[in-house]
Amino acid sequence: MARALQAIEKLQAKVSELQQASTEPIAIIGLGCRFPGGANSPATFWQLLHQGRDAISEVPRDRWDADAYHHPEPATTGKIVTRYGGFVDHLQEFDANFFGIAPKEAISLDPQQRLLLEVAWEAMEHAGVVPEQWSGHPVGVFVGISSNDYSRHLLQRPETDIDAYLATGNSHSAAAGRLSYSLGLIGPSLAVDTACSSSLVAVHLACQSLRNRECDAALAGGVNRLLAPEFSINFSQARMLAPDGRCKTFDAAADGFARGEGGGVVVLKRLADAIADGDTVLALIRGSAVNQDGRSGGLTVPNGPAQQAVIRQALQRAGLQPEQIGYIEAHGTGTSLGDPIEVGALGAVFGDSHTPEEPLYIGSVKTNIGHLEAAAGIAGLIKVVLAMQHETLPIHLHYHQPSPYIPWAELPVKVTQQPQPWQSGESPRFAGVSSFGFSGTNAHVILAAAVDPKAKNEERRAWPARSRTKNEERTWQLLTLAAKDSGALRSLVQRYADWLPETQGTLADICWGLHHSRSHFSHRLAIVASSRQDAQSQLA
């Protein structure tokens, strides 16, 4: 009997351990992004959001001729109802040598793969990770990607111009595989295509992989580039695009979405590992879920009950109740059909747990930067992480007259028409991020704020105190910069000279991070300074 009881206790302990592992919080320790409006870093992205800027612009000349393709009547064949979208600069610039890619191979490399390499590297640097230190380690790569504009462009050439790099340069699987190969990462590596929900599904799969101990860390995100007019013509014919190029989400004037491009990557670890490694925890992923619409009003028609189900499942996995959620980053494309269905689903899940006095706040980053399609979910997730850090919900743009198709008086939800203070109180702050693919695949992720957001601002790396103590006591600090060639080093010097007066970090922290959390390439510069102002002056 004693042996039997002992065996039962061991089994119960094992079950508890497995249950805990399946719901273990996942720490977000690094961010990297390139979004419209010059948002080329988490800091500049937050500036765009905080200032309530509209990043939509006319189609650049290096994509297609907007004058030739534009027509105000959406039924006009071969034409596009809008001449606007959200675009990221520097389409053709790429430092192939930095990633060990031959110039000839780089020509056949999809700009989406190029952007992914750059943003992933920047996310690792933001996490305080030297990429070389993860080579040979079980780090996973999960990439949302769905567009294939560049391959179609290359295939328009004569068949005799097809080279040995066409397939690897343009297949979606290679987008993830190349990142793993370039960094030497040996964890799971896969590309996800569920259309608009691709990047949030990638984050969900990364969390599952971490909890299953398939990898010790993960890079997850998505990328999208708009290079050719064909799909815009298709969306125009389907009456999906807003003629003015703005996502007027939840507004009476909602008449379609604006296409956008960009890329975002988050660096993930199990929370216990992040704490043990002394990482800065920017936010936590408490739970996530993915499901499918199944049979609905049409292949691309949103399914309200399916949206309710995926949110409830994410809440259950997070171990949270609806009343604990303070904000929802909505999918919010800005269509007269999709917006009411989504708000109705939110009302069904949160209607009994919130009141007009304590509403559920909702908003959508698509009103700032457009619909980034495969990268839309990761843009919304990064927005919420930054909002948690800065304790402010940014303004939701283009919301002037509430949609008459949404019964606002019956629902305890409120659109963030003005920047909304979101400070930590007695209860932790939780938020949900939704992403729904037009193929019917839905994803929802529940985020929790870091314990002390003010001490963990994204501009100040919180390295282990035991490594900084002596460094902080020094009157003079050693600042080191390194790059792979002299031109890149000069550019890096200029960037730090411009950045130092703006940052709030101590010189000791900055110097420690540059020396211990950056790669030491062959072209190097070192200066000795006594203050940030002194360092900025010497760099200038």
Side-chain angles (χ1 to χ4, degrees):
M1 180 67 72
R3 285 197 300 270
L5 288 173
Q6 190 176 25
I8 291 172
E9 289 176 354
K10 288 182 178 179
L11 288 172
Q12 288 176 333
K14 187 66 175 178
V15 169
S16 298
E17 182 182 342
L18 290 172
Q19 289 177 337
Q20 185 177 359
S22 68
T23 59
E24 181 176 3
I26 301 300
I28 300 173
I29 65 170
L31 310 172
C33 64
R34 299 283 180 83
F35 296 137
N40 295 328
S41 68
T44 53
F45 185 37
W46 175 251
Q47 290 174 10
L48 182 147
L49 295 169
H50 186 60
Q51 295 166 5
R53 283 171 30 215
D54 182 344
I56 302 300
S57 63
E58 286 203 359
V59 177
R61 286 286 180 180
D62 60 1
R63 310 310 171 88
W64 60 84
D65 186 346
D67 293 329
Y69 281 99
H70 176 250
H71 196 283
E73 175 50 55
T76 306
T77 58
K79 300 295 182 178
I80 305 170
V81 73
T82 184
R83 57 190 304 125
Y84 301 100
F87 296 93
V88 173
D89 295 334
H90 308 301
L91 172 66
Q92 300 180 38
E93 291 85 350
F94 177 64
D95 190 349
N97 180 63
F98 183 89
F99 295 101
I101 298 172
K104 185 176 181 180
E105 183 177 5
I107 293 172
S108 292
L109 192 62
D110 187 340
Q112 294 183 122
Q113 290 197 31
R114 304 176 201 172
L115 186 61
L116 181 65
L117 288 168
E118 294 171 347
V119 172
W121 185 280
E122 291 164 5
M124 294 177 75
E125 285 194 332
H126 189 258
V129 174
V130 179
E132 292 92 334
Q133 293 178 352
W134 276 6
S135 181
H137 288 255
V139 177
V141 173
F142 302 82
V143 177
I145 181 171
S146 62
S147 176
N148 60 357
D149 285 2
Y150 198 64
S151 63
R152 290 185 294 110
H153 163 71
L154 293 180
L155 290 173
Q156 291 174 359
R157 303 175 300 172
E159 293 177 352
T160 53
D161 288 347
I162 295 177
D163 59 22
Y165 307 110
L166 175 67
T168 55
N170 292 271
S171 68
H172 291 166
S173 61
R178 185 184 301 277
L179 185 53
S180 296
Y181 167 78
S182 298
L183 300 174
L185 312 178
I186 62 173
S189 182
L190 55 98
V192 177
D193 181 3
T194 59
C196 319
S197 58
S198 298
S199 57
L200 213 60
V201 172
V203 171
H204 166 78
L205 294 174
C207 293
Q208 299 289 75
S209 184
L210 283 163
R211 292 188 177 111
N212 290 334
R213 299 303 196 266
E214 296 172 344
C215 54
D216 292 337
L219 305 177
V223 65
N224 189 49
R225 277 291 208 181
L226 307 179
L227 310 178
E230 285 80 8
F231 277 113
S232 291
I233 294 171
N234 168 214
F235 294 154
S236 185
Q237 289 287 307
R239 308 297 199 276
M240 293 181 179
L241 299 183
D244 63 357
R246 269 70 182 177
C247 293
K248 299 175 285 292
T249 309
F250 310 135
D251 193 84
D255 56 358
F257 64 84
R259 299 191 74 196
E261 65 176 12
V265 170
V266 293
V267 184
L268 307 175
K269 278 186 180 180
R270 292 180 290 271
L271 177 59
D273 293 342
I275 293 173
D277 294 340
D279 296 315
T280 299
V281 178
L282 307 176
L284 298 175
I285 297 176
R286 287 289 301 268
S288 61
V290 171
N291 74 359
Q292 232 284 340
D293 285 346
R295 284 192 179 276
S296 59
L299 174 63
T300 63
V301 177
N303 185 326
Q307 293 179 14
Q308 297 175 38
V310 78
I311 295 171
R312 287 194 172 102
Q313 190 174 28
L315 284 168
Q316 181 182 16
R317 290 178 176 173
L320 299 174
Q321 298 301 316
E323 59 266 24
Q324 294 177 269
I325 305 299
Y327 175 76
I328 294 290
E329 174 64 19
H331 181 61
T333 52
T335 63
S336 58
L337 175 63
D339 290 356
I341 291 175
E342 181 171 10
V343 176
L346 293 174
V349 176
F350 298 98
D352 295 332
S353 59
H354 290 71
T355 65
E357 293 73 29
E358 295 185 2
L360 174 72
Y361 286 97
I362 59 175
S364 175
V365 73
K366 293 179 179 65
T367 62
N368 299 92
I369 60 177
H371 185 358
L372 270 56
E373 299 167 5
I378 197 67
L381 186 146
I382 292 175
K383 169 190 170 179
V384 175
V385 172
L386 294 174
M388 285 178 164
Q389 287 186 289
H390 291 274
E391 300 186 319
T392 303
L393 291 171
I395 182 173
H396 172 97
L397 303 183
H398 314 309
Y399 182 73
H400 308 292
Q401 183 68 34
S403 170
Y405 304 111
I406 299 174
W408 297 101
E410 303 171 16
L411 302 172
V413 298
K414 186 174 182 179
V415 178
T416 53
Q417 291 179 265
Q418 300 294 331
Q420 179 69 29
W422 197 23
Q423 297 175 347
S424 55
E426 294 181 1
S427 302
R429 290 168 297 149
F430 300 103
V433 183
S434 291
S435 200
F436 310 135
F438 75 175
S439 61
T441 297
N442 308 306
H444 192 79
V445 171
I446 304 291
L447 296 175
V451 175
D452 186 5
K454 290 182 179 179
K456 299 180 184 298
N457 187 280
E458 86 278 2
E459 293 180 338
R460 183 178 188 269
R461 309 308 325 151
W463 295 287
R466 61 182 180 276
S467 303
R468 302 200 320 265
T469 303
K470 291 183 178 179
N471 199 36
E472 289 176 336
E473 294 172 354
R474 294 173 183 154
T475 303
W476 298 91
Q477 303 291 340
L478 178 67
L479 187 149
T480 57
L481 298 175
K484 287 195 173 183
D485 59 55
S486 57
L489 181 58
R490 285 193 296 271
S491 176
L492 192 63
V493 168
Q494 183 62 57
R495 283 167 53 196
Y496 272 89
D498 295 338
W499 173 75
L500 278 172
E502 301 175 0
T503 183
Q504 300 301 312
T506 67
L507 183 61
D509 270 352
I510 293 167
C511 292
W512 196 98
L514 286 172
H515 192 73
H516 293 278
S517 301
R518 293 293 186 270
S519 300
H520 292 277
F521 299 120
S522 56
H523 290 256
R524 306 180 185 185
L525 171 106
I527 64 170
V528 174
S530 59
S531 65
R532 285 191 293 112
Q533 293 74 16
D534 182 18
Q536 189 270 340
S537 176
Q538 292 192 53
L539 291 177

